[in-house]
Amino acid sequence: MARTRRPMIAGNWKMNGLRADALALAKGVADGVKQAGWRDREVLVCPPATLVMAVADAVKGSGVLVGGEDCHAEASGAHTGDISAEMLRDAGAGHVIVGHSERRTDHGETDAVVRAKAEAAWRAGLLPIVCIGETLAEREAGKTLGVLEAQLRGSVPSGATAAKLVVAYEPVWAIGTGKTPTTAEVAAAHAHIRKVLGGLVSDAAAVRLLYGGSVKGSNAAELLAAGDVDGALVGGASLKADEFLAIAKAA
Ligand code: 13P
């Protein structure tokens, strides 16, 4: 079954990138991916909404996939400043990250909101990457697996299948800190996630589970080799083409 899970290396650019730098970055990634000619892994970049269209154009024909960083649950309407899944699709995206911990914290997004956004992604024909992860306090209190289970149950819409869902495990305390869980801790979290998905998704064994949090070229091979890890969701290190490509190579 593991062979059916094609590794995905996804870059989350967050609120970074003006056109000149971003297009150079997109082109650098596209050139590297084209040159490598990988058929056994997927490389996805998720730029800020302002750049989705330009990045989608810049990577055309390279095999690099493009996604949004967030979407609203509604298709359109009076939601000033928001972007719908349909708009992302129209701009050239095929994927969208939902429920990133920065959205959950900065914008008070609950599991129910994240679930509605994942459903919106389906409605628009996008593949949602649903993010979950415990805080440091939760980990230290021994609550990690329970937190992940509750977030999954609340955030994954019913009707999910491996073709319609990617899950990213991102411990909040590992994001942007240079700290990472041990491979045993990552494997334990991912095994639990897959077990919980067993009750939510008909083909849970085929769902791709990404690890995110301080992934870089130098630790990617180790983290990606942990049990039940099918790729990475990369923040800071996705802003440099060489570093991001090194992670993709390690997959
Ligand atoms: P860093 O790779 O910068 O730790 O960010 C991880 C992340 O939040 C990806 O979504």
Side-chain angles (χ1 to χ4, degrees):
M1 188 51 89
R3 267 172 296 142
T4 68
R5 302 199 303 257
R6 191 138 65 119
M8 173 186 280
I9 302 300
N12 173 10
W13 293 5
K14 308 192 179 183
M15 197 170 72
N16 295 293
L18 302 180
R19 270 189 299 174
D21 290 344
L23 292 180
L25 170 58
K27 213 177 153 336
V29 172
D31 288 347
V33 167
K34 213 167 164 179
Q35 205 169 6
W38 291 311
R39 302 217 177 282
D40 58 349
R41 70 202 75 185
E42 292 181 348
V43 177
L44 168 71
V45 293
C46 300
T50 50
L51 293 167
V52 168
M53 202 182 303
V55 167
D57 277 346
V59 303
K60 203 166 271 172
S62 68
V64 173
L65 306 167
V66 179
E69 297 179 8
D70 172 54
C71 66
H72 195 276
E74 303 291 329
S76 63
H79 302 287
T80 303
D82 279 313
I83 308 275
S84 71
E86 281 78 358
M87 290 169 170
L88 289 172
R89 171 91 190 193
D90 187 50
H95 298 63
V96 62
I97 298 166
V98 294
H100 191 282
S101 66
E102 287 151 16
R103 300 284 321 170
R104 292 178 184 261
T105 303
D106 293 358
H107 300 273
E109 292 187 6
T110 61
D111 289 332
V113 167
V114 175
R115 179 190 175 111
K117 291 182 174 202
E119 285 170 340
W122 291 353
R123 184 189 63 223
L126 300 180
L127 178 60
I129 300 171
V130 175
C131 302
I132 57 171
E134 82 287 1
T135 62
L136 185 59
E138 288 163 344
R139 174 161 286 270
E140 286 175 343
K143 294 183 180 157
T144 298
L145 300 186
V147 166
L148 298 180
E149 179 159 354
Q151 288 181 334
L152 275 177
R153 292 193 187 285
S155 307
V156 173
S158 58
T161 63
K164 289 164 70 180
L165 175 74
V166 174
V167 174
Y169 167 54
E170 299 204 309
V172 177
W173 53 272
I175 295 175
T177 58
K179 291 183 192 144
T180 55
T182 64
T183 49
E185 286 168 337
V186 173
H190 280 227
H192 191 66
I193 289 167
R194 197 171 299 287
K195 186 171 145 216
V196 174
L197 285 176
L200 301 172
V201 184
S202 53
D203 52 354
V207 176
R208 286 178 291 178
L209 308 183
L210 313 184
Y211 167 76
S214 295
V215 178
K216 39 191 183 179
S218 56
N219 63 14
E222 192 184 350
L223 287 163
L224 288 164
D228 274 304
V229 174
D230 308 307
L233 182 54
V234 185
S238 73
L239 297 174
K240 287 187 190 138
D242 288 353
E243 186 80 9
F244 186 56
L245 288 165
I247 296 168
K249 195 173 171 195

